[in-house]
Structure formats: C-alpha cells, structure tokens
Amino acid sequence: MEPTSAGKSQTTLSRCFECCVKCLGVLPYASLFATILLYAGVALFCGCGHEALSGTVTILQNYFEVVRAPVETLDVLTMIDILKYVIYGIAAAFFVYGILLMVEGFFTTGAIRDLYGDFKITACGRCVSAWFIMLTYIFFLAWLGVTAFTSLPVFMYFNIWTICQNTTVVEGANLCLDLRQFGMVTIGEERKVCTGSEKFFKMCESNELDMTFHLFVCALAGAGAAVIAMVHYLMVLSANWAYVKDACRMQKYEDIKSKEEQELHDIHSTRSKERLNAYT
C-alpha cells in the first residue's frame, strides 16, 4: 500500500523538525549573542555619530560663523570630515570582523565535531585562536578609547543644552560659549555666542542643538555596547582556546594509546606465531 498524503506530510514535518534541531545545535550561541551586540553597538555608534557630526557642522556654520579654511589648512570642519571617513572604515571593518569571529565560533563548537566526526586540532588552529584573542583585546582597548573620546562632545553639548534650558536663570549673567575654549579654532579667531544675543536664542530654539546632543548620547551608548561585546568575545574566545587546548591533549593521548595498543597487538601476534611454529 502506498502511504497516504497525511503520512507523507507527517514524515516531512518530522524531517524538518530534526533538521531544525540539528541547526540549532550547531549554532554557537555565545558568539552569536556577542556578534549581535557588536553589530548593534557599531551601527548605533556609526549612524548616530555620523549624523551628530553633520549637525555639529550646521551649528558651527550657522551660529558661530565658522567658515571652511583652504584645502591645505587643517581646521575643525576638515577634522569632522576625516572623522566621518573614519566612521565608514569602522563600520566596514567590524562587519567583517564579526563574521570572522562567528566562523571561528562555528569551528570550535562541539556540535560541529559531532556532525562531521572527529577533527584534528592543528598548530595552525591553535595559533588562529590565540591571534583572535590578542586582536580582540586590542579592539577592546580601542573601543574604550573611542568611548572616552565620544564622552567629550556629550559633555560639551550637555553644558550648552543645560544653559539653554535655564535661560531664565542666566538671564542677568553674561555667559559666552567661546570655541577657543574647546580648541576648535585658533586663539586669534573669535568665534563665540553669548547669552542674551539673538544667535544664542535661535540656537537654543533650533532642532539642531537638541537633536545633535541626543545623537551623541546614542553614539556613546553604541560605543559602550561595542565595549561590552568585546568583553563577551574575550570570554568566548578564552573558553574556545581552553577547549582547543584540551582537545589537543586528548588527541595526543588517543594517538599514544592507539599506538601502544597496536604495539601490544603486534607483540601478541608475533608470540602466537612463534608458539605455533615451535609446536609444529
């Protein structure tokens, strides 16, 4: 009798379920979580950081009257353009690095070994794991520096935003926001906005200031998420390194044991032949 359509569908569903279970067993969940956190942090930092830099350029040009210097001069606007290109490089580099770490996680997961049989741990594999640990530690320190650097514009914009939110309190005071205090212009240039002036009120009422401040806060949060992802990667890579090291020792033990068993078998076979020959 041919199987019914219901029986065929049930068999298909059973095979699909087994396939899904195998796929879920293959996934390196720790590396997957760290990769998702890394991508989220890098995307937040790069996207918000890029838009925050664009908003900074708008504020500098509209309210502080900062003009772009000649091509051969390195001014604040040129430095912002360079930082934008750096952001592009960070996004591309860590997209590739996340994929590499995921691949490393796949090859050091025990589920891969169960699916494809015992594998040989080579010296190259151990060197690759050690190299990833060293490289991730360097990136961890780099992201700590990026987080510290991103906190500077957050602090600056927070001060400006606080003054704008408390205009009634500082109404009688003569406070000025001078770009020379932040090193954005040279000492000879006077680029400042004082409380009570028309430019100050326009800047406080504009959307650029509020949006740029909150974009820098989001970029800082993204950099912090990338730092946490690097720490998580370090824990995962260290555990993988320990697994590879133990697997290498076990592999040597199995090779020595197999060799000794083969020698004992050869000795036993030789003695059996000698006894047989002596008997005949």
Side-chain angles (χ1 to χ4, degrees), residues 29-67:
Y29 290 100
S31 297
L32 180 62
F33 173 78
T35 303
I36 293 174
L37 185 60
L38 176 65
Y39 282 169
V42 171
L44 194 63
F45 171 77
C46 293
C48 295
H50 183 274
E51 293 303 315
L53 291 175
S54 300
T56 301
V57 172
T58 302
I59 292 174
L60 292 177
Q61 291 178 339
N62 293 343
Y63 304 107
F64 289 91
E65 298 180 353
V66 176
V67 295

Side-chain angles (χ1 to χ4, degrees), residues 96-194:
V96 176
Y97 191 65
I99 294 176
L100 292 177
L101 290 177
M102 273 297 296
V103 172
E104 198 273 345
F106 270 109
F107 279 103
T108 53
T109 301
I112 296 292
R113 181 192 59 185
D114 295 335
L115 285 176
Y116 297 101
D118 292 334
F119 58 93
K120 297 294 183 181
I121 303 297
T122 61
C124 180
R126 297 195 298 272
C127 289
V128 168
S129 297
W131 169 255
F132 273 124
I133 292 175
M134 181 185 69
L135 197 60
T136 304
Y137 185 75
I138 294 174
F139 285 148
F140 164 70
L141 296 178
W143 274 110
L144 279 180
V146 170
T147 304
F149 179 78
T150 310
S151 64
L152 296 179
V154 172
F155 177 72
M156 293 165 53
Y157 274 101
F158 177 75
N159 290 334
I160 299 174
W161 183 76
T162 303
I163 294 175
C164 290
Q165 295 298 317
N166 298 278
T167 52
T168 57
V169 178
V170 299
E171 188 174 355
N174 186 19
L175 302 178
C176 294
L177 301 172
D178 196 340
L179 294 183
R180 291 177 295 183
Q181 298 175 341
F182 305 108
M184 292 185 178
V185 295
T186 59
I187 300 297
E189 299 181 70
E190 185 176 347
R191 295 288 184 269
K192 62 181 180 179
V193 174
C194 297

Side-chain angles (χ1 to χ4, degrees), residues 184-215:
M184 292 185 178
V185 295
T186 59
I187 300 297
E189 299 181 70
E190 185 176 347
R191 295 288 184 269
K192 62 181 180 179
V193 174
C194 297
T195 58
S197 63
E198 184 180 358
K199 288 183 180 180
F200 176 79
F201 288 110
K202 284 184 178 180
M203 182 180 66
C204 292
E205 293 175 356
S206 65
N207 294 326
E208 288 88 357
L209 180 63
D210 188 68
M211 182 63 69
T212 303
F213 169 58
H214 289 91
L215 284 173

Side-chain angles (χ1 to χ4, degrees), residues 9-28:
S9 61
Q10 186 176 2
T11 304
T12 304
L13 290 175
S14 178
R15 290 179 179 176
C16 290
F17 179 75
E18 292 178 359
C19 182
C20 290
V21 170
K22 287 184 178 180
C23 291
L24 291 175
V26 168
L27 287 176

